[in-house]
C-alpha cells in the first residue's frame, strides 16, 4: 500500500469499532497479525495501551507499511511535547508483526491524558479507542490512568451521574449558529429539584467547548462532589471560547465572545433551563484563555456573575492595568463593593506566573477581595481539574 493510502486508512480508521487497553493482570486474547485496513473495512482489534504494574504505559499502533512512528502528547510528562527546541514525541519501534510500540520511561501519574501518534509525519488519533477530545481544531485520543489521587476526577459506578449534552443555539451577536456543552446534575432531567445555579466554565486557547468534559472531567468532578455533599447541585455551561477571526478582535480579549456570552448564551440558558437567573446564583470561571475571558467579561460584570474563578492566567501586556481599568473601571468598582467570591489559582511553574503581580495589584486597587491558590506544577489539565475540585464547593453557599 502506498504511503498516501496508508495515511488515508489510518485517518479513516479513527471512527472504527475498537477494544481499549486493559488493566494490569487482566487476561488478553492472542495478539492478531497486524493487517492494514481501508476506511470501508472493519479495523483489526488489538490492545493499543497497556498500563504496567510499575505505572509506566506501553502504547501500540498497527502500521506495517509506515517508515517512522512516534507517540505524541502535550500532557504526559514522560513524552517530550515538541517545544523549546525539544524533539516531538517518543520514537516507537516496529516488531516483526508490524506493530509499532513504545513504553514511557517513567510512571504516569493517575488521571486522564490526551495522546496520539505521528506516522510518517501525519498526526493521527489512536484507531483502537472510543474516547476522544476535541482541540480547537482536530481530535486526539484519551487514556485514563487509575489511582486514588484522581478519585474526584474519575467515573464511579456507585455515584449518581448527571448528563452532558450539546446545545446548538443562534447567536444574534455573531449572526451564526454556536455550540456549548452543558452539564446538568443527577435528577435534573426527571424534573426533580428547584431552579438551579449556573457556572459558566470556559476552556483554553488550544481547546474547544468539548474539553472541560472530555479531558477536564468536569461532569465526574461535580457528580462526586455533589454525592459527597461537598458541592451544591448546579448546571455547568461550557461555551465555545473562540469566534471567527476578524480584524480588530483579539484571541485573549475577544469582544465577540463577550457579546455572544452576555447577549445570547446567558439569556438563552435562562430561558430554556430551570435556572435561578440572578447574580448570586450565577458564576463564571475559565482556564488560560478562558481565564482571560473571565477577567474581561465576568469580573467587571457583578450584575451578571456573582462568583469568579481565574485559572492559570492574569492581566496580559507590559503595563496592562491602565488600559484594563479604562475599559472596565466602573464594573471593577462595583465588583469591589459586591464582595463576592473571586478565586485565583496558578501553578508555581506556570509560564503565566509572572502575570500574578499586576493582576493582584488590580484587585487591590479596586478593593476586590480574592482567594489566591498557588499550586505545584504548571499550565496543565492536572492543575485545572484540581482547581475545579477546590473551586466548585465554594460556589452558591
Amino acid at each position: 500500500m502506498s504511503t498516501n493510502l496508508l495515511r488515508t486508512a489510518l485517518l479513516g480508521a479513527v471512527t472504527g469499532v475498537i477494544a481499549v487497553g486493559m488493566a494490569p493482570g487482566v487476561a488478553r486474547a492472542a495478539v492478531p497479525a497486524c493487517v492494514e485496513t481501508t476506511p470501508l473495512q472493519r479495523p483489526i482489534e488489538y490492545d493499543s495501551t497497556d498500563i504496567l504494574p510499575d505505572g509506566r504505559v506501553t502504547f501500540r499502533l498497527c502500521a506495517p507499511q509506515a517508515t517512522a512512528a512516534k507517540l505524541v502528547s502535550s500532557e504526559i510528562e514522560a513524552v517530550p511535547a515538541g517545544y523549546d527546541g525539544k524533539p516531538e514525541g517518543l520514537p516507537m519501534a516496529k516488531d516483526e508483526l508490524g506493530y509499532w510500540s513504545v513504553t514511557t520511561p517513567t510512571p504516569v501519574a493517575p488521571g486522564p491524558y490526551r495522546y496520539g501518534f505521528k506516522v510518517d509525519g501525519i498526526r493521527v488519533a489512536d484507531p483502537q479507542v472510543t474516547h476522544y477530545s476535541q482541540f480547537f481544531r482536530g481530535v486526539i485520543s484519551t487514556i485514563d490512568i487509575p489511582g486514588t489521587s484522581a478519585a474526584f476526577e474519575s467515573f464511579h459506578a456507585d455515584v449518581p451521574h448527571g448528563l452532558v449534552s450539546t446545545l446548538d443555539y443562534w447567536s444574534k451577536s455573531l449572526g451564526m449558529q454556536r455550540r456549548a456543552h452543558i452539564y446538568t446534575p443527577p435528577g435534573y432531567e426527571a424534573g426533580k429539584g428547584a431552579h438551579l445555579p449556573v457556572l459558566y466554565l470556559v476552556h483554553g486557547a488550544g481547546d474547544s467547548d468539548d474539553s472541560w468534559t472530555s479531558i477536564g472531567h468536569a461532569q465526574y468532578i461535580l457528580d462526586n462532589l455533589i454525592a459527597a455533599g461537598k458541592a451544591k447541585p448546579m448546571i455547568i455551561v461550557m461555551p465555545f471560547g473562540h469566534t471567527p477571526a476578524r480584524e480588530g478582535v483579539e484571541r485573549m480579549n475577544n469582544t465577540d465572545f463577550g457579546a455572544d456570552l452576555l447577549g445570547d448564551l446567558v439569556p438563552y440558558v435562562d430561558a430554556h433551563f430551570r435556572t435561578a437567573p440572578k447574580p448570586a446564583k450565577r458564576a463564571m470561571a475559565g482556564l488560560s484563555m478562558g481565564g482571560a475571558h473571565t477577567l474581561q467579561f465576568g469580573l467587571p460584570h457583578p450584575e451578571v456573575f456573582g462568583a469568579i474563578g481565574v485559572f492559570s492566567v492574569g492581566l496580559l501586556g507590559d503595563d496592562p492595568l491602565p488600559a484594563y481599568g479604562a475599559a472596565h473601571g466602573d464594573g471593577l468598582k462595583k465588583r469591589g463593593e459586591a464582595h463576592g467570591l473571586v478565586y485565583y489559582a496558578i501553578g508555581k511553574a506556570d509560564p503565566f506566573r509572572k502575570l500574578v503581580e499586576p493582576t493582584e495589584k488590580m484587585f487591590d486597587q479596586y478593593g476586590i477581595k480574592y482567594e489566591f491558590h498557588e499550586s505545584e506544577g504548571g499550565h496543565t489539565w492536572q492543575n485545572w481539574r484540581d482547581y475545579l475540585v477546590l473551586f466548585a464547593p465554594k460556589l452558591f453557599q
Side-chain angles (χ1 to χ4, degrees):
M1 181 181 286
S2 71
T3 299
N4 286 337
L5 285 176
L6 168 63
R7 293 170 179 168
T8 301
L10 286 169
L11 291 169
V14 165
T15 58
V17 180
I18 46 308
V20 298
M22 301 171 71
V26 177
R28 357 177 133 256
V31 177
C34 174
V35 179
E36 289 187 290
T37 61
T38 71
L40 297 180
Q41 292 176 309
R42 178 188 174 100
I44 66 168
E45 298 182 20
Y46 60 93
D47 295 316
S48 61
T49 60
D50 288 333
I51 302 172
L52 305 182
D54 63 1
R56 294 179 301 147
V57 183
T58 295
F59 294 85
R60 189 175 295 106
L61 174 70
C62 174
Q65 300 301 319
T67 59
K70 291 181 178 181
L71 169 70
V72 292
S73 173
S74 62
E75 293 161 6
I76 301 174
E77 291 185 357
V79 180
Y83 55 87
D84 294 337
K86 295 179 182 177
E88 182 180 276
L90 285 177
M92 304 175 78
K94 186 166 69 169
D95 64 20
E96 66 280 1
L97 293 177
Y99 289 98
W100 295 83
S101 66
V102 67
T103 299
T104 60
T106 58
V108 179
Y113 297 90
R114 292 186 287 201
Y115 73 95
F117 301 110
K118 194 167 187 180
V119 182
D120 289 344
I122 302 295
R123 283 179 175 267
V124 296
D126 185 344
Q128 292 295 305
V129 301
T130 54
H131 296 285
Y132 300 96
S133 179
Q134 293 183 11
F135 285 125
F136 176 33
R137 292 287 185 263
V139 297
I140 195 166
S141 316
T142 65
I143 181 174
D144 282 0
I145 307 298
T148 55
S149 63
F152 264 96
E153 305 167 2
S154 304
F155 178 91
H156 296 285
D158 57 348
V159 167
H161 296 286
L163 177 71
V164 176
S165 56
T166 55
L167 168 67
D168 293 315
Y169 66 97
W170 183 257
S171 172
K172 295 179 182 178
S173 304
L174 302 180
M176 63 183 300
Q177 177 182 324
R178 296 273 286 170
R179 190 185 76 172
H181 275 65
I182 296 188
Y183 164 84
T184 47
Y188 180 88
E189 283 69 36
K192 299 177 182 178
H195 287 57
L196 296 179
V198 183
L199 167 62
Y200 287 79
L201 187 61
V202 193
H203 60 83
D207 293 313
S208 75
D209 56 299
D210 156 90
S211 300
W212 261 113
T213 53
S214 64
I215 193 66
H217 284 193
Q219 71 278 36
Y220 303 148
I221 289 172
L222 263 295
D223 287 343
N224 295 327
L225 288 173
I226 292 169
K230 294 185 177 182
K232 299 288 187 182
M234 67 184 75
I235 297 168
I236 303 181
V237 178
M238 293 154 277
F240 185 43
H242 299 283
T243 62
R246 69 180 182 89
E247 188 174 352
V249 176
E250 302 173 11
R251 183 178 67 177
M252 301 292 275
N253 180 19
N254 188 334
T255 51
D256 284 353
F257 171 82
D260 172 69
L261 173 71
L262 298 172
D264 294 294
L265 183 56
V266 170
Y268 187 95
V269 170
D270 285 339
H272 292 84
F273 291 78
R274 297 194 310 278
T275 69
K278 52 186 178 181
K281 299 296 182 181
R282 197 187 289 122
M284 182 177 179
L287 68 91
S288 194
M289 181 191 76
H293 287 351
T294 303
L295 286 171
Q296 296 292 337
F297 311 114
L299 187 73
H301 289 281
E303 79 283 2
V304 180
F305 303 106
I308 294 295
V310 178
F311 307 156
S312 298
V313 78
L315 295 183
L316 295 159
D318 295 332
D319 187 19
L321 190 48
Y324 181 75
H328 303 297
D330 291 342
L332 295 173
K333 291 176 184 176
K334 293 177 181 177
R335 175 65 65 182
E337 296 166 356
H339 300 299
L341 171 67
V342 176
Y343 180 80
Y344 187 23
I346 198 165
K348 292 179 181 178
D350 196 302
F352 285 153
R353 179 63 182 77
K354 61 186 178 182
L355 305 180
V356 169
E357 183 177 352
T359 306
E360 290 185 323
K361 188 178 295 185
M362 176 270 294
F363 290 150
D364 293 339
Q365 178 175 323
Y366 288 95
I368 298 172
K369 297 184 183 299
Y370 63 98
E371 293 184 32
F372 179 64
H373 172 65
E374 185 176 57
S375 69
E376 299 297 328
H379 210 70
T380 66
W381 273 105
Q382 287 88 338
N383 266 342
W384 301 325
R385 288 187 294 267
D386 288 347
Y387 298 160
L388 182 59
V389 170
L390 295 171
F391 177 63
K394 300 176 183 292
L395 297 174
F396 316 125
Q397 299 300 322

